[in-house]
Amino acid sequence: MMKQRSILSVSGSIVLTLALFGIAAGSTAAAAEIKLLCAVALQPAMDVLIPDFENTSGHKVTVAYGNAGAIADRFKQGEAADLVINAAPLMEQLGAQGKVIAGDHITIAKVGVSAFVRKGAANPDMSSADAFKRSILAAKSIIYPDPAGGGASGIYMASLFERLGIAAEMRSKTKLSPSAKVLYASVASGDVEIGFNQISEVLAQPTVEFAGALPSAIQNYTNFAPGIVTTSNQTEAARALVTFLTSRAAKAVLQAKGFE
């Protein structure tokens, strides 16, 4: 009940915030349809934020999700969009190519990587980099997104084991997941002992248990930045959505979903 009240309170703050930005609640005078291509790590927060934006602005938002690499590829291959929100380095590339409107370096949110385990299972020791290394070496099996798919967490975990000097030891007991469904189901069933993914996605999964963020010394954050597509006919509506997503009230929702 307290969590529900908190969300309702945040939603009320969002309505006020939009009013302050000149977006009238329920207004349809300049209603637009916005196509958003968005990194899937943001979906747990977007599932709350987008309906609030639609209800208060009158605009309609259609969202297509995918991991960072897939979203970048889909856009480069011609998928239509008015706004893209993706990992900052990929957005910088699109800006340099003139595919999205260049502007101030805006960050919607950032998120780190965490471990997760089967419900009721013992958590690995994440208190320090050394403790993490011992826990991982002692684990029977681990899983993370296949780096070939372009997901930020999978790419980072592969590089982290190289950095820690344990890549060879981990290779035989590491599984690379082709999809989020396989990733979480493997751990929930007990087939794999420890999984890794971005914090926001793990917290949104009811089938597994959050086991803690990576220690600060070896943590990796993905910053998500927006870019209004240069060929869009809905630039003002897309800009209103960016303004909304960077508001104080929206940030409260993002923080509740595991973002910083």
Side-chain angles (χ1 to χ4, degrees), residues 102-144:
D104 295 334
H105 292 285
I106 299 173
T107 298
I108 298 293
K110 69 176 185 178
V111 68
V113 179
S114 66
F116 60 94
V117 296
R118 178 175 52 82
K119 283 185 172 294
N123 290 348
D125 188 348
M126 309 280 279
S127 60
S128 69
D130 286 341
F132 169 82
K133 184 176 179 179
R134 289 192 298 270
S135 293
I136 294 307
L137 287 171
K140 295 179 180 178
S141 56
I142 68 164
I143 189 169
Y144 54 80

Side-chain angles (χ1 to χ4, degrees), residues 41-51 65 200 245 250 253-255 257 259:
L42 287 162
Q43 185 172 1
M46 289 298 187
D47 284 347
V48 176
L49 294 171
I50 293 300
Y65 295 104
S200 58
L245 293 174
V253 173
L254 287 159
Q255 288 174 356
K257 298 296 183 179
F259 295 91

Side-chain angles (χ1 to χ4, degrees), residues 104-218:
D104 295 334
H105 292 285
I106 299 173
T107 298
I108 298 293
K110 69 176 185 178
V111 68
V113 179
S114 66
F116 60 94
V117 296
R118 178 175 52 82
K119 283 185 172 294
N123 290 348
D125 188 348
M126 309 280 279
S127 60
S128 69
D130 286 341
F132 169 82
K133 184 176 179 179
R134 289 192 298 270
S135 293
I136 294 307
L137 287 171
K140 295 179 180 178
S141 56
I142 68 164
I143 189 169
Y144 54 80
D146 189 342
S153 59
I155 293 171
Y156 179 67
M157 291 307 299
S159 68
L160 176 61
F161 293 153
E162 292 283 355
R163 173 182 159 191
L164 295 176
I166 59 174
E169 293 95 321
M170 295 304 300
R171 192 167 293 119
S172 64
K173 54 184 177 181
T174 297
K175 294 186 177 181
L176 303 179
S177 177
S179 68
K181 182 178 180 180
V182 172
L183 179 69
Y184 297 109
S186 297
V187 174
S189 66
D191 289 342
V192 178
E193 187 176 343
I194 305 172
F196 295 93
N197 205 5
Q198 291 176 315
I199 294 171
S200 58
E201 296 183 66
V202 173
L203 290 176
Q205 285 296 323
T207 60
V208 296
E209 186 172 306
F210 176 75
L214 293 184
S216 58
I218 55 172

Side-chain angles (χ1 to χ4, degrees), residues 33-46:
E33 293 188 6
I34 308 165
K35 170 66 181 295
L36 169 62
L37 280 177
C38 187
V40 71
L42 287 162
Q43 185 172 1
M46 289 298 187

